[in-house]
Amino acid sequence: MTAYETRRLGDTKVEVTIIGLGMVPLAGFNAKTSYTDCEDVIRTAFAGGVKYFDCAPFYGYGKAEYNLGHAIRELGIRDDIVVSTKVGRLLRTLSKSDTSNAAYGELWTDPLPFRDVFDYSYDGVMRSFEDSQARLAMDYIDVLLVHDVSPDWHGERADHYWQQLGDGGFRALDELRRSGAVSAIGLGVNDTETVVRAAREFDIDCALIAGRYTLLNHKPLEGAFSELQQRNVSVLAGGVFNSGILAAGTRGQGATYDYGSVPEDILHRVGVIEEICARHRVPLSSAAIEFVLMHPAVTAVVLGAKSVAETKENLASSSARIPAQLWVDLKDAGIIPDLAPVKADQ
């Protein structure tokens, strides 16, 4: 069992292992997964030292929460772990054939028979939290995150939903935190700017940000991460493989970049990273994980896995020793900027 370091979320008492498990693949993301798959992956991750698990109502339309909660009970590990889930969507019972409210069409294979409705109001947040408690079968939830409240998701409706948060959603989160029903609150989004905006308007503890700080993406270094550090907002980093290319590499079959085809310039940059990693005998995936974890704004990296084999690969990748010269070489090659925090010795 790997003894992963733990780090605190903001000013709270919540401590998470630096490696977490995300439930998206286990909710049937573009491929069918079973409850048995879910329990096996969670058992393997926990045995490997992972004690932070992230889910959301959106993942499999309730399937991720339902399966995660059941697995935690079966394994008897609730008191040993931290669980985060999300608010902002309510699940409604609708025809399985109705996909009109799916933002990107059908992402989920064999989901539960629900569809999501956005609601960031006071009542919506409270109802979402109570529904998640029921699906997880938990009397408290460690971390509660506002899900996908960003222009990328909502377009011209973005201001409307942000107003819902300001008029009551944030107040609901604060009441849940003060009551002890949750221990930390924040955002779960795919952009850093929305997190900075929220931190300026409300006292959040953390944010799960997917795919915005990786070996290929460095925009948060332009000021966002510094401001979040000043405000003591802990970053939980998801999507550190940019949806696959930084794990599979240039020769991997079906590799994607941010859930789409891989642009030629990205393919070239990954090829350079692969060559430098090979020179130092470091797996590409290990460099991708460690690069993100080295930034002091980042508290944990959340990795997904749909099988025991993938879970073991993630555990191995996150435990590799990486020589300091690798980061020097990546900077010399122009792959990562000079201001990116790296360790001198590992």
Side-chain angles (χ1 to χ4, degrees):
M1 178 175 176
T2 301
Y4 285 116
E5 174 190 351
T6 60
R7 298 176 183 173
R8 182 170 295 185
L9 297 181
D11 288 324
T12 74
K13 295 181 180 180
V14 180
E15 293 191 359
V16 298
T17 48
I18 60 172
I19 300 297
L21 177 71
M23 291 292 294
V24 169
L26 292 168
F29 183 74
N30 290 327
K32 186 173 181 178
T33 53
S34 68
Y35 169 74
T36 300
D37 296 326
C38 181
E39 184 177 314
D40 288 345
V41 166
I42 292 168
R43 178 188 292 108
T44 303
F46 181 76
V50 175
K51 296 184 179 180
Y52 168 47
F53 298 86
D54 174 72
C55 60
F58 180 50
Y59 304 160
Y61 300 128
K63 194 172 188 177
E65 290 182 321
Y66 184 84
N67 284 349
L68 175 61
H70 188 56
I72 289 170
R73 291 191 303 280
E74 288 295 302
L75 297 172
I77 60 175
R78 179 64 184 104
D79 293 340
D80 302 311
I81 64 173
V82 170
V83 173
S84 63
T85 193
K86 304 179 182 73
V87 295
R89 287 179 170 92
L90 297 175
L91 299 184
R92 297 287 185 255
T93 305
L94 297 173
S95 167
K96 280 190 172 183
S97 64
D98 183 354
T99 62
S100 60
N101 198 43
Y104 295 117
E106 275 301 289
L107 296 177
W108 312 109
T109 301
D110 193 29
L112 298 188
F114 303 101
R115 286 295 178 267
D116 58 318
V117 177
F118 291 108
D119 190 338
Y120 299 94
S121 68
Y122 177 92
D123 290 344
V125 168
M126 288 298 194
R127 175 63 183 272
S128 179
F129 171 70
E130 291 173 357
D131 288 350
S132 289
Q133 281 188 299
R135 285 187 292 267
L136 288 162
M138 293 179 180
D139 57 351
Y140 69 95
I141 296 172
D142 303 283
V143 183
L144 198 62
L145 306 170
V146 180
H147 204 187
D148 291 331
V149 58
S150 62
D152 287 346
W153 271 93
H154 299 301
E156 62 184 21
R157 296 277 289 171
D159 289 342
H160 167 73
Y161 289 123
W162 194 263
Q163 189 66 43
Q164 283 189 336
L165 266 180
D167 288 345
F170 282 140
R171 178 163 54 90
L173 290 170
D174 188 49
E175 288 182 13
L176 290 169
R177 178 173 57 185
R178 286 190 290 107
S179 73
V182 300
S183 299
I185 58 176
L187 269 64
V189 292
N190 294 334
D191 71 290
T192 313
E193 293 76 13
T194 300
V195 178
V196 172
R197 180 183 181 185
R200 290 172 178 172
E201 297 182 18
F202 186 70
D203 178 24
I204 61 174
D205 305 303
C206 58
L208 202 168
I209 306 172
R212 296 311 97 200
Y213 185 63
T214 70
L215 278 172
L216 298 170
N217 296 335
H218 316 119
K219 189 175 180 181
L221 295 176
E222 296 173 6
F225 271 8
S226 294
E227 181 167 348
L228 293 178
Q229 282 182 270
Q230 291 169 4
R231 296 180 181 276
N232 206 14
V233 176
S234 299
V235 174
L236 304 163
V240 298
F241 300 141
N242 282 123
S243 84
I245 188 63
L246 287 174
T250 57
R251 297 180 179 85
Q253 293 185 349
T256 60
Y257 174 74
D258 286 356
Y259 304 102
S261 59
V262 185
E264 283 299 320
D265 64 316
I266 295 295
L267 203 63
H268 172 74
R269 289 171 64 194
V270 174
V272 175
I273 299 170
E274 283 181 310
E275 188 278 325
I276 293 172
C277 285
R279 190 189 311 161
H280 293 282
R281 298 182 180 180
V282 170
L284 173 63
S285 57
S286 297
I289 294 168
E290 184 66 19
F291 173 73
V292 177
L293 276 174
M294 286 189 296
H295 198 290
V298 176
T299 297
V301 163
V302 179
L303 304 174
K306 66 177 180 291
S307 66
V308 168
E310 287 189 2
T311 307
K312 290 181 177 179
E313 288 175 6
N314 287 342
L315 293 171
S317 294
S318 60
S319 303
R321 295 185 62 83
I322 300 178
Q325 187 60 42
L326 181 140
W327 309 116
V328 175
D329 293 350
L330 286 175
K331 288 186 175 184
D332 288 345
I335 295 297
I336 58 177
D338 287 337
L339 52 75
V342 296
K343 294 179 181 177
D345 55 351
Q346 299 182 71

